[in-house]
Short mmCIF file of all heavy atoms in Angstrom, two decimals:
data_model
loop_
_atom_site.label_atom_id
_atom_site.label_comp_id
_atom_site.label_asym_id
_atom_site.label_seq_id
_atom_site.Cartn_x
_atom_site.Cartn_y
_atom_site.Cartn_z
N GLY A 1281 111.98 -2.17 -45.13
CA GLY A 1281 112.63 -0.93 -45.46
C GLY A 1281 113.74 -1.12 -46.40
O GLY A 1281 113.97 -0.35 -47.35
N ALA A 1313 132.93 27.20 -74.44
CA ALA A 1313 132.27 28.03 -75.40
C ALA A 1313 132.48 27.54 -76.83
O ALA A 1313 131.63 27.68 -77.72
CB ALA A 1313 132.80 29.49 -75.27
N GLY A 1323 124.31 22.46 -86.00
CA GLY A 1323 122.90 22.36 -85.99
C GLY A 1323 122.28 23.22 -87.05
O GLY A 1323 121.34 22.74 -87.82
N SER A 1349 120.15 39.77 -90.21
CA SER A 1349 119.18 40.83 -90.49
C SER A 1349 119.98 42.11 -90.69
O SER A 1349 121.10 42.28 -90.26
CB SER A 1349 118.20 41.01 -89.32
OG SER A 1349 118.83 41.51 -88.14
N TYR A 1429 142.99 47.15 -96.40
CA TYR A 1429 144.43 47.00 -96.74
C TYR A 1429 145.32 47.50 -95.59
O TYR A 1429 145.01 48.56 -94.93
CB TYR A 1429 144.70 47.82 -97.95
CG TYR A 1429 143.96 47.38 -99.22
CD1 TYR A 1429 142.84 48.08 -99.68
CD2 TYR A 1429 144.32 46.16 -99.88
CE1 TYR A 1429 142.13 47.63 -100.76
CE2 TYR A 1429 143.58 45.76 -100.98
CZ TYR A 1429 142.53 46.51 -101.42
OH TYR A 1429 141.81 46.07 -102.50
N ALA A 1433 152.06 48.34 -94.27
CA ALA A 1433 152.90 47.28 -94.79
C ALA A 1433 153.15 47.42 -96.25
O ALA A 1433 153.96 46.78 -96.84
CB ALA A 1433 152.31 45.92 -94.54
N SER A 1480 89.83 34.26 -125.13
CA SER A 1480 89.06 33.60 -126.12
C SER A 1480 87.99 32.72 -125.53
O SER A 1480 86.90 32.60 -125.97
CB SER A 1480 89.96 32.77 -127.08
OG SER A 1480 90.64 31.79 -126.38
N ASP A 1489 75.50 31.19 -124.22
CA ASP A 1489 74.50 31.45 -123.21
C ASP A 1489 73.43 32.37 -123.67
O ASP A 1489 72.25 32.21 -123.39
CB ASP A 1489 75.20 31.92 -121.93
CG ASP A 1489 76.11 30.86 -121.30
OD1 ASP A 1489 75.85 29.70 -121.63
OD2 ASP A 1489 76.97 31.18 -120.58
N PRO A 1529 90.99 28.97 -116.14
CA PRO A 1529 92.12 29.70 -116.88
C PRO A 1529 92.52 30.96 -116.14
O PRO A 1529 93.74 31.30 -116.08
CB PRO A 1529 91.55 29.94 -118.26
CG PRO A 1529 90.53 28.96 -118.42
CD PRO A 1529 89.95 28.67 -117.12
N ALA A 1556 126.34 45.08 -104.31
CA ALA A 1556 127.08 45.46 -103.09
C ALA A 1556 128.39 44.76 -102.97
O ALA A 1556 129.33 45.32 -102.56
CB ALA A 1556 126.19 45.10 -101.88
N LEU A 1586 114.91 42.14 -120.63
CA LEU A 1586 113.65 41.57 -120.33
C LEU A 1586 112.77 42.59 -119.55
O LEU A 1586 111.54 42.59 -119.79
CB LEU A 1586 113.82 40.31 -119.45
CG LEU A 1586 114.22 39.02 -120.14
CD1 LEU A 1586 114.45 37.96 -119.10
CD2 LEU A 1586 113.10 38.55 -121.09
N SER A 1635 135.36 43.07 -122.54
CA SER A 1635 134.28 42.11 -122.77
C SER A 1635 132.96 42.82 -123.23
O SER A 1635 132.25 42.26 -124.07
CB SER A 1635 134.01 41.29 -121.50
OG SER A 1635 135.15 40.56 -121.09
#
Side-chain angles (χ1 to χ4, degrees):
S1349 69
Y1429 299 103
S1480 61
D1489 292 338
L1586 278 177
S1635 299

